[in-house]
């Protein structure tokens, strides 16, 4: 067993621990439950990175809510400049007149969420808010910020708790900074 793969070895350090995530998600759950108390809300998971945050956050909500899922994909390299994405899987719910809470893992340039919000706004929901586990405000390229933020983080390459490098590391249970030699 000496040569078993250990993803922990590819990390330079833990940026946000399992315990810190759990505590913050519980706080956000209380805040969001209070804000949406008595309202009709659809909570939308943006696949794939948000999967763990969505799963933990929704279980911390005590208000009535419906879960939905959206999968998006960038158009070649265009996302780097515009954030324009293609919907691979749309939500099932009709959100007209309903409150929508988008759940994302990370806001970087902000372009993806800026575009997504615009797309969903066209369906005339009662409101749209964004809950984001990690926010990198230093990287922002447009005027958007999450309504609920787990952690503001520096501009470092992070993986784990849903975030990937090349499709891997999403199962790491904390947010870690990768050793540069592992991704460069
Ligand atoms: C990540 C994240 C956001 C986007 C944020 O998605 O989930 O959708 O990048 O970047 P931006 O603020 O610069 O637009 P990614 O393309 O890694 O897809 P994934 O969630 O499937 O990993």
């Amino acid at each position: 067993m000496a040569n078993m793969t250990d993803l922990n070895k590819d990390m330079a350090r833990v940026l946000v621990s399992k315990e810190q995530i759990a505590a913050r998600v519980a706080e956000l759950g209380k805040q969001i439950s209070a804000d949406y108390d008595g309202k009709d809300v659809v909570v939308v998971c943006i696949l794939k990175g948000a999967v763990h945050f969505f799963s933990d956050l929704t279980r911390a909500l005590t208000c009535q809510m419906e879960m939905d899922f959206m999968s998006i994909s960038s158009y070649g390299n265009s996302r780097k400049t515009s954030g324009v994405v293609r919907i691979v899987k749309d939500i099932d719910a009709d959100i007209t007149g309903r409150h929508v809470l988008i759940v994302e893992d990370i806001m970087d340039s902000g372009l993806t969420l800026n575009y997504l919000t615009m797309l969903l706004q066209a369906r005339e929901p009662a409101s749209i808010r964004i809950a984001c586990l990690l926010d990198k405000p230093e990287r922002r390229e447009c005027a958007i910020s999450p309504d609920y933020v787990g952690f503001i983080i520096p501009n470092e390459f992070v993986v784990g708790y849903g975030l990937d490098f090349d499709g891997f590391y999403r199962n790491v249970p904390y947010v870690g900074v990768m050793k540069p030699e592992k991704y460069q």
Side-chain angles (χ1 to χ4, degrees), residues 47-49 79 104-106 108-112 164 170:
L47 298 168
K48 299 174 183 171
R79 202 176 129 200
E104 258 288 24
D105 54 346
I106 189 164
D108 201 327
S109 70
L111 295 170
T112 303
D164 74 308
R170 294 192 200 273

Side-chain angles (χ1 to χ4, degrees), residues 49-67:
V51 63
H52 298 309
F53 181 43
F54 178 84
S55 174
D56 287 341
L57 183 66
T58 53
R59 283 178 293 172
L61 297 181
T62 53
C63 56
Q64 182 163 296
M65 55 149 292
E66 189 179 341
M67 286 184 182

Side-chain angles (χ1 to χ4, degrees), residues 46-50 71-72 74 79 83 85 104-114 116 139-141 162-164 170:
I46 308 300
L47 298 168
K48 299 174 183 171
S71 177
I72 57 178
S74 57
R79 202 176 129 200
V85 293
E104 258 288 24
D105 54 346
I106 189 164
M107 192 182 281
D108 201 327
S109 70
L111 295 170
T112 303
L113 278 167
N114 202 38
L116 256 186
R139 299 261 303 172
R140 201 71 89 250
E141 291 178 31
L163 290 104
D164 74 308
R170 294 192 200 273

